Amino acid sequence: MSGNDGNGGEYGEATRAVRLPTGGGPQGERPMRPPVHRSTTYAFEASQDYADVLDGARGGYSYARIDTPTADAFATALAAMEGAGTGREVHGQAFASGMAAISTVLLALTSAGSHVVASRALYGNTFSLLDGLLRRFGVETDFVDIGDIEQVRAAMRPETALVYTETLSNPAMLVSDIPALAGAAHDAGALLVVDSTFASPAVCRPLEHGADLVLHSATKYIGGDS
Ligand SMILES: Cc1ncc(COP(=O)(O)O)c(C=O)c1O
């Protein structure tokens, strides 16, 4: 399978995995290994330039919690791998941990009164987040047998914001039928969010099968550990 390298060229799958977009340096240089930017803050010529970056009126970096060239290079590379076969422009956002990404996504896509349909076979801390913290904030989750698509469809409500699953569940390795789940979510006006940590984009790219958002804990296959 071929895919766009993010710079206008087409790469095959194996090449894509080792030659990902890295962004350019300030003078247009293209280091083979992107440097690690360690600064927390950035200097500007004028306060207006700083304001424009904070407002999003122009690109740039202001504070390391928001983003850094290093985190952006990582997110862009991962988005290029996940989005390769979609024919769409796919964007990524890096977080300090998988749980930070999962918490942010769930808090961003729900509000008090929202409903979530989630796989019963989930990474334990994701289960606890949905079953504990989010319930306290008025977000209700129905946990279902994710392999039973009729159960998933029956659980959908008008206020269902999203369906949440893992490509291969941790630890039971249940396989999600992503096209069927995307159909069930979209028919009800909800989004399909997939934690693809145990698959990695080398094995499965959920966006190609209809998922709206893909998450990773990067300390597993992405980072080569665990
Ligand atoms: C499937 C899955 N999702 C999310 C997480 C949480 O990621 P992190 O440990 O990076 O916060 C893990 C961690 O084990 C995981 O296995």
Side-chain angles (χ1 to χ4, degrees):
M1 165 181 255
S2 70
N4 195 293
D5 67 359
N7 296 313
E10 292 286 320
Y11 285 155
E13 182 162 354
T15 308
R16 196 173 71 221
V18 292
R19 288 201 54 135
L20 292 160
T22 57
Q27 269 83 52
E29 65 271 24
R30 299 181 62 197
M32 294 298 284
R33 288 275 173 199
V36 174
H37 293 254
R38 298 179 62 198
S39 185
T40 54
T41 49
Y42 294 79
F44 293 89
E45 290 301 321
S47 55
Q48 188 58 49
D49 295 339
Y50 181 43
D52 286 348
V53 168
L54 287 178
D55 286 349
R58 72 175 179 86
Y61 299 93
S62 58
Y63 182 50
R65 173 167 47 73
I66 301 169
D67 49 19
T68 71
T70 311
D72 266 4
F74 167 70
T76 304
L78 202 49
M81 290 190 81
E82 286 289 358
T86 63
R88 301 194 305 269
E89 203 176 327
V90 169
H91 296 275
Q93 177 66 47
F95 294 85
S97 70
M99 283 317 297
I102 293 165
S103 307
T104 304
V105 164
L106 291 173
L107 289 170
L109 297 180
T110 62
S111 48
S114 294
H115 177 245
V116 173
V117 175
S119 171
R120 201 173 284 137
L122 284 185
Y123 171 62
N125 285 317
T126 307
F127 186 93
S128 302
L129 179 63
L130 286 162
D131 202 39
L133 190 74
L134 283 168
R135 227 181 260 291
R136 260 179 34 219
F137 292 152
V139 177
E140 202 186 324
T141 299
D142 275 324
F143 294 97
V144 297
D145 174 357
I146 208 71
D148 181 348
I149 200 68
E150 290 317 314
Q151 213 185 103
V152 175
R153 285 187 174 274
M156 302 301 289
R157 301 184 198 162
E159 64 273 23
T160 306
L162 59 104
V163 174
Y164 190 100
T165 193
E166 293 170 1
T167 309
L168 302 170
S169 72
N170 175 3
M173 302 293 269
L174 279 183
V175 180
S176 281
D177 183 343
I178 293 167
L181 292 170
H186 296 161
D187 286 351
L191 299 175
L192 176 63
V193 178
V194 179
D195 178 339
S196 212
T197 299
F198 271 27
S200 92
V203 170
C204 178
R205 294 175 291 278
L207 299 179
E208 292 177 7
H209 302 288
D212 299 287
L213 213 144
V214 177
L215 297 154
H216 287 277
S217 167
T219 51
K220 314 293 180 310
Y221 287 104
I222 299 291
D225 293 303
S226 209

